[in-house]
């Protein structure tokens, strides 16, 4: 639950919108519902501390089960705003790909060391 909460907070900070919809796997919906209020509260506190502005975001969980994210994402959340025009993919699969892409140059250097 703590990881999901932190992913939601991070997504809210990135997306910076007042009306946000959270998408998750069907299996994760109870956990997301449980931590959503705490995540929003934490987000509001962070924004107040950093900017001095008290926000009142409207964050809801996707209620259309046909639009739940796929199990191949290994969990996490996707946050959207402005009718899906702004998207923050904070799923485990997306984060793993990000780390992989960042480590690619280091992996390449190990596999193909430069001749001196």
């Amino acid at each position: 639950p703590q990881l999901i909460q932190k992913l939601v907070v991070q997504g809210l900070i990135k997306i910076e919108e007042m009306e946000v919809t959270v998408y998750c796997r069907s299996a994760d919906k109870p956990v997301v519902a449980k931590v959503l209020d705490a995540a929003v509260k934490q987000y509001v506190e962070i924004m107040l501390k950093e900017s001095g502005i008290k926000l009142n975001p409207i964050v809801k969980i996707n209620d259309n089960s046909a639009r739940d994210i796929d199990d191949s994402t290994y969990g996490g959340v996707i946050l959207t705003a402005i009718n899906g025009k702004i998207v923050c993919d904070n799923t485990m699969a997306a984060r793993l790909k990000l780390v992989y892409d960042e480590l690619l140059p280091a992996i390449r250097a190990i596999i193909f060391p430069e001749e001196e």
Side-chain angles (χ1 to χ4, degrees):
Q2 198 172 22
L3 174 65
I4 295 287
Q5 180 176 334
K6 290 180 189 255
L7 291 173
V8 172
V9 171
Q10 186 181 48
L12 288 170
I13 290 169
K14 282 185 178 181
I15 214 163
E16 287 186 354
E17 287 294 328
M18 293 306 293
E19 290 187 29
V20 177
T21 303
V22 179
Y23 294 85
C24 60
R25 298 182 312 167
S26 302
D28 294 338
K29 271 193 177 174
V31 176
V32 173
K34 181 179 170 187
V35 301
L36 192 61
D37 288 339
V40 172
K41 183 179 177 198
Q42 187 178 356
Y43 166 70
V44 169
E45 289 170 1
I46 290 169
M47 295 309 284
L48 182 61
K49 180 181 165 195
E50 296 296 320
S51 68
I53 299 170
K54 184 166 174 49
L55 301 175
N56 190 18
I58 300 166
V59 182
K60 61 181 179 147
I61 300 173
N62 166 46
D63 52 6
N64 180 356
S65 60
R67 299 209 46 212
D68 287 348
I69 59 178
D70 193 61
D71 286 341
S72 66
T73 59
Y74 311 113
V77 292
I78 295 176
L79 289 84
T80 66
I82 310 176
N83 295 325
K85 291 181 180 163
I86 299 176
V87 178
C88 176
D89 187 346
N90 233 354
T91 59
M92 293 296 109
R95 295 178 72 83
L96 189 61
K97 181 172 179 358
L98 184 67
V99 170
Y100 175 78
D101 290 344
E102 287 177 3
L103 289 176
L104 210 49
I107 295 168
R108 194 172 292 125
I110 292 169
I111 296 174
F112 306 108
E114 292 195 28
E115 299 286 329
E116 290 186 18

